[in-house]
């Protein structure tokens, strides 16, 4: 029970003044809000409420319903959540989810993303369950008697095939994964996390976010904490492409977007995007700028070059043999190996193609073939003329290879949190991702694949990655009594047997999911008291009713602990009412006000 946790998400400010105003309006012909400046202080209002409303126990407790408090309860057994929801309608559980406007990053076959490949999780849920709007109108009945008119066609299979950017946690590089399910988790309290690089993420307090130290829920993070994000890290955080003045100063120095991108370590497209956003322009360099020779040469120089070319041509053939390499009159022994190998490949291309089979070594294509060095000439000049270091590639494969080779692998890097703000109650959603990478990129931040019915914890136990008691709750060793008062001893040996049984149940659960069984079906074999986070809201009157029933000696031990953790928050929120309740009703199991 040491892991149990209760925190306040939101509460009505100045609750005792609110109750006083509601109580006062019952007996006043004035509009009480107009007398706000003459209301007693919060402390004085508490005294008036106890004296005039509660002490007499007249049963008129309606004013207490105008105040509300919302608790986030964590690591409690499922049975406690079930008992809490028996008394409260405002309860939600497994609140590891994202706001509807969070953008999910999709990528193409090359791992690159664009605006067209981004969807909000709310849009994805709508497409997943209701289909996409057909372009054409159905003029007659469909094959399954669907009525004429505009309709939506199923697109689940297409969404399943789309590539979602995901992080390979073993080497910290981004790859892609596929969606297995999209889940609506109801309306939950949502917080907005703002990072130092401008990224923002709206999620619930229990959603897991990847940090340099592993997975952490939002409640464990604070301002200054680091989380891992998508994209290339900047070399200088103060000189960002998002800063209009800094970007404008670099353009005024004559730098191009390519040079600015190289300076701060981001892509050229990103610099151009922010330049367009800030309506900035840059000086475009001429195609011949920086060339050794200028175009407007003199007639004498042009004639000299022409004569030199004729002389070279006349010397190319000697006794019927083409002069090349070191035998050529223009041979330069200090010529870079890259240029020498270029000329060598030019004269030997056809022979090498015939010897290599005249087809692409990767896709088997036969069109637009080129010769590629397996080990780069710049890194291994000794293999520049070694034909065993050559392979034949078609143009698309050759281009794709060098494009990937030029581009550094996209890795996750840490960025600090600058603020965490409570937004309100919003609709929330989850993605269920395929194995092996149970994560995805949301608004540029690496977040965890959220499971339904706490299955993530159960699977972690089954895979040996988590403690059994992180997922399941068992009472401590000790003496207990049943409802009839009969005492018994829960021994260490019996508790260890129960832990072993929980482990076997987790493994069976994992096998069922891998065999295609749904979560709600497979969870029937999981022990009932798996640990669960939930959010519960009370009006003050309902909270006192809940404490009357569950904060007493014969109540379930675990729910007594829940009430015990709630009580300090109640004392801080409504001190005078809490003091009256503790003296007159706490632990006495009386009917609640």
């Amino acid at each position: 029970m040491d892991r149990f946790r209760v925190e306040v998400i939101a509460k009505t400010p100045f609750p005792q003044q609110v109750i006083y105003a509601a109580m006062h309006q019952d007996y006043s012909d004035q509009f009480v809000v107009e007398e706000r400046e003459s209301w007693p202080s919060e402390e004085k209002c508490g005294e008036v409420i106890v004296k005039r409303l509660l002490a007499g126990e007249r049963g008129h407790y309606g004013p207490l319903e105008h105040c509300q408090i919302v608790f986030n309860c964590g690591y409690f057994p499922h049975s406690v959540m079930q008992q809490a929801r028996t008394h409260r309608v405002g309860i939600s559980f497994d609140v590891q989810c994202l706001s509807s406007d969070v953008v999910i990053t999709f990528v193409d076959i090359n791992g690159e993303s664009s605006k067209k490949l981004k969807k909000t999780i709310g849009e994805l849920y709508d497409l997943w369950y209701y289909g996409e709007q057909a372009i054409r109108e159905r003029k007659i009945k469909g094959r399954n008697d669907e009525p004429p008119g505009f309709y939506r066609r199923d697109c689940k299979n297409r969404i399943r095939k789309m590539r979602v950017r995901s992080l390979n946690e073993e080497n910290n590089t981004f790859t892609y994964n596929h969606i297995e399910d999209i889940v609506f988790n109801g309306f939950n309290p949502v917080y907005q996390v703002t990072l130092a690089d401008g990224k923002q993420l709206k999620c619930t307090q229990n959603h897991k976010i990847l940090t340099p130290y592993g997975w952490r829920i939002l409640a464990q993070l604070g301002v200054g904490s680091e989380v891992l994000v998508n994209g290339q890290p900047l070399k200088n955080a103060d000189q960002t492409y998002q800063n209009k003045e800094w970007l404008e100063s670099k353009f005024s120095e004559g730098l191009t977007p390519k040079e600015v991108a190289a300076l701060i370590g981001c892509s050229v497209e990103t610099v151009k995007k922010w330049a367009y956003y800030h309506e900035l322009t840059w000086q475009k360099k001429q195609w011949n700028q920086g060339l050794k020779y200028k175009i407007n040469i003199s007639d004498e120089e042009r004639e000299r070059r022409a004569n030199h070319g004729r002389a070279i041509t006349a010397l190319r053939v000697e006794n019927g043999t083409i002069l090349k390499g070191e035998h050529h009159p223009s041979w330069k022994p200090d010529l870079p190996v890259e240029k020498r190998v270029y000329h060598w490949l030019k004269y030997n291309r056809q022979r090498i193609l015939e010897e290599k089979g005249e087809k692409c070594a990767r896709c088997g294509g036969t069109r637009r073939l080129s010769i590629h060095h397996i080990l780069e000439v710049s890194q291994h000049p000794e293999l520049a003329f070694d034909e065993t270091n050559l392979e034949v590639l078609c143009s698309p494969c050759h281009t794709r290879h060098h494009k990937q080779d030029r581009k550094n692998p996209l890795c996750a890097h840490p960025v600090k949190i600058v603020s965490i703000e409570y937004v309100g109650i919003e609709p929330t959603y989850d993605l269920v991702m395929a194995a092996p990478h149970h994560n995805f990129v949301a608004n540029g931040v690496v977040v965890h694949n959220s499971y339904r019915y706490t299955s993530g914890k159960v699977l972690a136990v089954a895979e040996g990655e988590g403690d059994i008691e992180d997922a399941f709750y068992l009472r401590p060793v000790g003496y207990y009594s049943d409802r009839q008062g009969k005492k018994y001893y829960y021994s260490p040996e019996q508790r260890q047997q129960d832990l072993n049984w929980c482990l076997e149940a987790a493994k069976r659960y994992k096998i069922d999911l891998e065999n295609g069984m749904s979560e709600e079906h497979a969870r029937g074999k999981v022990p009932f008291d798996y640990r669960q986070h939930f959010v519960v809201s009370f009006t003050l009157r309902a909270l006192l009713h809940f404490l009357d029933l569950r904060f007493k000696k014969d109540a379930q031990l675990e729910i007594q602990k829940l009430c015990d953790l709630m009580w300090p928050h109640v004392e801080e929120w409504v001190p005078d009412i809490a003091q009256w309740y503790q003296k007159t009703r706490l632990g006495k199991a009386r009917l609640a006000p």
Side-chain angles (χ1 to χ4, degrees):
M1 286 188 284
D2 294 338
R3 306 187 190 198
F4 293 172
R5 182 178 176 185
V6 174
E7 301 292 343
V8 174
I9 289 179
K11 56 187 177 182
T12 302
F14 307 109
Q16 296 183 151
Q17 282 190 333
V18 172
I19 297 171
Y20 169 83
M23 181 179 67
H24 185 51
Q25 186 65 80
D26 287 345
Y27 301 100
S28 174
D29 58 351
Q30 302 295 323
F31 194 51
V32 294
V33 74
E34 295 177 351
E35 303 173 356
R36 183 189 292 272
E37 294 182 359
S38 62
W39 288 356
S41 65
E42 178 73 7
E43 182 180 358
K44 185 64 176 177
C45 282
E47 296 175 3
V48 173
I49 293 167
V50 171
K51 181 178 179 180
R52 299 183 183 177
L53 182 66
L54 301 176
E57 296 193 4
R58 295 177 295 171
H60 182 60
Y61 299 118
L64 298 180
E65 297 184 4
H66 295 290
C67 301
Q68 187 179 41
I69 188 168
V70 183
F71 294 108
N72 192 185
C73 311
Y75 306 98
F76 282 90
H78 180 70
S79 57
V80 170
M81 190 276 296
Q82 292 285 41
Q83 289 194 44
R85 72 188 302 182
T86 301
H87 304 285
R88 299 304 312 126
V89 175
I91 185 168
S92 59
F93 54 96
D94 271 347
V95 287
Q96 301 178 22
C97 38
L98 303 168
S99 177
S100 61
D101 57 358
V102 167
V103 177
I104 308 301
T105 302
F106 291 90
V107 297
D108 58 20
I109 188 63
N110 296 319
E112 298 179 353
S113 183
S114 65
K115 284 186 177 180
K116 294 180 179 179
L117 293 176
K118 292 182 179 180
K119 292 282 186 183
T120 67
I121 195 169
E123 291 173 341
L124 283 174
Y125 178 82
D126 182 66
L127 291 171
W128 184 267
Y129 284 99
Y130 303 108
E132 60 184 345
Q133 182 70 47
I135 299 175
R136 297 172 181 169
E137 181 181 2
R138 182 187 286 124
K139 300 297 184 180
I140 59 175
K141 278 189 177 183
R143 64 182 65 180
N144 296 318
D145 291 332
E146 296 92 348
F150 289 100
Y151 63 98
R152 304 184 71 166
R153 57 190 176 193
D154 183 75
C155 59
K156 274 188 180 180
N157 289 334
R158 188 158 61 84
I159 295 177
R160 284 194 181 101
K161 294 177 182 178
M162 294 173 67
R163 304 172 184 87
V164 179
R165 179 165 286 169
S166 181
L167 182 70
N168 184 341
E169 297 177 49
E170 295 181 0
N171 57 17
N172 194 42
T173 59
F174 283 101
T175 178
Y176 63 82
N177 202 354
H178 299 284
I179 296 173
E180 288 190 341
D181 196 8
I182 304 175
V183 183
F184 175 62
N185 280 333
F187 289 80
N188 292 300
V190 171
Y191 294 80
Q192 179 167 281
V193 182
T194 304
L195 306 183
D197 62 356
K199 292 184 176 67
Q200 292 183 327
L201 176 70
K202 291 201 294 185
C203 64
T204 56
Q205 201 173 31
N206 288 321
H207 201 88
K208 289 183 180 179
I209 302 175
L210 189 58
T211 72
Y213 315 103
W215 292 102
R216 299 289 187 273
I217 62 173
L218 179 59
Q220 296 173 317
L221 303 175
V223 175
S225 300
E226 291 185 332
V227 299
L228 294 183
V229 303
N230 174 28
Q232 298 291 349
L234 299 179
K235 295 179 181 178
N236 190 336
D238 296 329
Q239 298 178 348
T240 67
Y241 47 77
Q242 300 179 16
N243 188 310
K244 180 179 179 180
E245 290 74 17
W246 182 85
L247 195 57
E248 189 174 18
S249 68
K250 294 304 173 186
F251 287 155
S252 64
E253 293 174 8
L255 298 182
T256 63
K258 184 176 182 180
E259 293 168 333
V260 173
L263 180 65
I264 60 178
C266 67
S267 67
V268 180
E269 290 75 13
T270 300
V271 175
K272 288 183 178 181
K273 181 187 77 172
W274 284 96
Y276 296 144
Y277 177 79
H278 294 307
E279 299 181 351
L280 300 177
T281 58
W282 59 90
Q283 183 180 0
K284 296 183 179 180
K285 294 183 177 180
Q286 299 295 328
W287 69 271
N288 62 335
Q289 185 172 346
L291 292 180
K292 186 176 181 180
Y293 300 104
K294 294 185 178 181
I295 300 301
N296 52 345
I297 59 176
S298 63
D299 295 338
E300 294 79 3
E301 176 65 18
R302 186 177 290 106
E303 183 63 23
R304 188 192 69 78
R305 292 184 186 181
N307 292 333
H308 178 73
R310 296 188 191 100
I312 294 298
T313 303
L315 292 172
R316 281 190 174 181
V317 179
E318 181 177 314
N319 299 326
T321 304
I322 297 178
L323 300 178
K324 57 184 178 181
E326 59 186 6
H327 303 293
H328 196 279
S330 294
W331 171 256
K332 297 179 181 178
D334 58 343
L335 194 69
V337 66
E338 289 86 355
K339 290 190 177 181
R340 285 192 281 122
V341 78
Y342 168 78
H343 293 292
W344 178 75
L345 285 176
K346 180 178 178 180
Y347 289 108
N348 292 279
R349 179 178 183 278
Q350 189 58 41
R351 178 182 60 81
I352 295 173
L353 287 177
E354 291 174 357
E355 292 177 357
K356 297 289 183 181
E358 294 190 333
K359 65 178 181 178
C360 178
R362 301 190 182 180
C363 70
T366 58
R367 299 182 62 185
R368 301 170 63 193
L369 299 177
S370 57
I371 299 173
H372 166 69
H373 280 82
I374 299 173
L375 298 178
E376 291 184 15
V377 174
S378 59
Q379 301 295 328
H380 302 274
E382 72 279 4
L383 299 176
F385 303 96
D386 187 350
E387 294 188 15
T388 61
N389 187 41
L390 301 176
E391 67 176 346
V392 177
L393 298 178
C394 66
S395 181
C397 289
H398 201 194
T399 302
R400 189 179 300 115
H401 173 87
H402 284 287
K403 187 174 183 180
Q404 293 173 349
D405 191 51
R406 289 195 305 268
K407 183 179 177 181
N408 294 326
L410 189 61
C411 301
H413 66 277
V415 176
K416 288 186 177 181
I417 296 175
V418 296
S419 69
I420 301 176
E421 300 176 347
Y422 176 67
V423 177
I425 307 295
E426 293 188 4
T428 53
Y429 303 84
D430 280 334
L431 295 185
V432 178
M433 304 299 296
H437 308 303
H438 294 292
N439 64 71
F440 57 95
V441 175
N443 278 16
V445 183
V446 183
V447 299
H448 199 273
N449 174 174
S450 299
Y451 293 91
R452 302 177 72 181
Y453 313 120
T454 65
S455 63
K457 298 176 187 175
V458 178
L459 289 176
V461 170
E463 295 168 357
E465 297 179 357
D467 185 0
I468 299 175
E469 297 200 52
D470 287 340
F472 302 103
Y473 169 77
L474 293 174
R475 282 186 175 180
V477 173
Y479 290 92
Y480 299 94
S481 61
D482 60 15
R483 290 186 177 275
Q484 287 72 39
K486 182 181 177 181
K487 294 185 178 181
Y488 62 93
Y489 178 62
Y490 189 43
S491 66
E493 295 78 13
Q494 187 176 359
R495 193 173 192 276
Q496 185 58 48
Q497 290 177 1
D498 291 342
L499 284 173
N500 295 338
W501 178 70
C502 290
L503 178 58
E504 291 302 318
K507 291 180 179 179
R508 182 62 197 173
Y509 179 80
K510 181 176 183 294
I511 292 172
D512 287 342
L513 289 188
E514 290 174 349
N515 291 334
M517 190 178 291
S518 66
E519 290 91 343
E520 52 266 42
H521 189 178
R523 72 183 175 121
K525 300 161 192 163
V526 174
F528 185 74
D529 267 346
Y530 52 81
R531 292 186 184 269
Q532 197 158 24
H533 308 319
F534 59 93
V535 174
V536 60
S537 60
F538 296 95
T539 65
L540 180 56
R541 184 176 183 179
L543 177 57
L544 298 182
H545 172 68
F546 181 75
L547 294 173
D548 268 344
L549 294 174
R550 299 299 177 182
F551 204 7
K552 57 182 182 179
K553 293 182 179 180
D554 62 344
Q556 180 185 339
L557 180 63
E558 290 76 19
I559 206 162
Q560 286 188 58
K561 186 64 175 177
L562 172 66
C563 295
D564 186 48
L565 294 174
M566 286 180 173
W567 183 246
H569 298 296
V570 179
E571 289 183 306
E572 181 183 0
W573 185 42
V574 283
D576 293 280
I577 297 175
Q579 185 179 10
W580 165 83
Y581 181 82
Q582 188 170 17
K583 288 181 180 179
T584 61
R585 308 183 71 91
L586 185 61
K588 297 182 180 180
R590 300 176 62 184
L591 291 177

